[in-house]
Amino acid sequence: MGQPESREQQGAAQSDLPPGQRLQRGWPVTHYGPVPKFKPDRWEFRVFGATADGDKHCWNHEEFSALPFSTVVADLHCVTKFSMLGAEWGGVLARTVVELAPPAPHVTHVMVWAEYGYSANLRLADFTEGHTLFATHKAGELLTAEHGFPLRLVVPHLYAWKGPKWVRGIEYMSADRRGFWEERGYHNLGDPWREQRYSYQEGPGDGPEL
Ligand SMILES: Nc1nc2c(c(=O)[nH]1)N[C@H]1C(S)=C(S)[C@@H](COP(=O)(O)O)O[C@H]1N2
Ligand SMILES: [Mo]
């Protein structure tokens, strides 16, 4: 074990933190690559792949911003072992996107795509969990560029790499495929409560072959 943290941090950590995680003060910025520039007139959110009607669905920034707004209180667990607890996120539920642009019946997984080709794969069931949210806001304020403005996915029950910042769309898939970190040694499922950190921990059926 490392150095003990302050009493206050330890108290919170014991009740609320997944195994191996420690509480982080403040909100660090963690990602691979540069922060993209938001170009409002060129931005669109695309739903493609195996949609129910076979068509691609697109919302421009104005249209996406007009979708029903929800808030979700959720923790953020980075696989590098820091956690942020109890953030209030605001935005559009993933479930709302699925209702407006539904998948074909055989769809089992979703690839979430972000700027510069970053991606994360999710089971459709994880994507449509009631608290999975495309966030535009945190604590009532618009996200900053480095935290994913204009849009990031928050999947409260999975490690934070499953929540791309600077999201640009989703792809419906009829079989699982690995996203950016899932191809690079991280666990295909990424449940922090089961400490599913690395792909070598995967059991049969946890993910496509590497
Ligand atoms: N586009 C993109 N999104 C990303 C990442 C990334 O590298 N690129 N990193 C993920 C990881 S590993 C974490 S821990 C969180 C960090 O979010 P934060 O910088 O807002 O704390 O963003 C996630 N989303
Ligand atoms: Mo992370």
Side-chain angles (χ1 to χ4, degrees):
M1 299 296 285
Q3 288 286 103
E5 295 176 343
S6 78
R7 199 167 283 265
E8 193 188 338
Q9 283 182 316
Q10 273 190 350
Q14 276 160 12
S15 50
D16 300 313
L17 287 177
Q21 294 295 112
R22 61 177 179 270
L23 195 60
Q24 173 75 42
R25 296 203 172 275
W27 189 12
V29 172
T30 314
H31 57 262
Y32 177 84
V35 174
K37 216 184 205 97
F38 174 53
K39 302 192 184 90
D41 42 320
R42 295 190 43 198
W43 190 93
E44 58 175 13
F45 183 95
R46 297 197 306 147
V47 181
F48 61 103
T51 56
D53 59 9
D55 288 340
K56 205 169 82 177
H57 296 250
C58 289
W59 289 278
N60 65 27
H61 190 247
E62 201 183 334
E63 292 163 343
F64 197 90
S65 305
L67 295 179
F69 187 88
S70 303
T71 58
V72 162
V73 174
D75 306 334
L76 183 149
H77 307 297
C78 177
V79 71
T80 63
K81 302 200 167 176
F82 73 80
S83 289
M84 177 173 83
L85 299 182
E88 189 206 87
W89 305 93
V92 179
L93 290 174
R95 190 173 273 183
T96 302
V97 170
V98 168
E99 280 163 13
L100 293 171
H106 57 271
V107 167
T108 55
H109 291 80
V110 175
M111 190 71 81
V112 182
W113 287 100
E115 303 283 358
Y116 302 135
Y118 185 88
S119 60
N121 58 317
L122 294 167
R123 296 183 289 206
L124 183 61
D126 288 319
F127 189 70
T128 55
E129 279 261 335
H131 54 214
T132 300
L133 181 88
F134 287 103
T136 52
H137 290 70
K138 184 182 156 281
E141 302 203 352
L142 274 180
L143 293 172
T144 58
E146 63 268 29
H147 286 301
F149 180 79
L151 195 67
R152 74 180 292 164
L153 185 68
V154 175
V155 191
H157 61 289
L158 300 179
Y159 283 118
W161 87 77
K162 291 286 189 183
K165 305 193 275 192
W166 315 297
V167 183
R168 290 295 300 276
I170 62 166
E171 176 186 358
Y172 288 134
M173 307 193 293
S174 50
D176 200 3
R177 227 167 65 216
R178 287 175 190 270
F180 182 85
W181 286 120
E182 295 82 3
E183 271 185 338
R184 290 168 175 77
Y186 288 92
H187 198 286
N188 190 57
L189 300 176
D191 179 348
W193 299 97
R194 301 176 66 189
E195 252 195 295
Q196 294 175 330
R197 296 179 190 272
Y198 308 111
S199 53
Y200 65 73
Q201 300 171 295
E202 289 174 18
D206 283 348
E209 280 196 25
L210 268 164

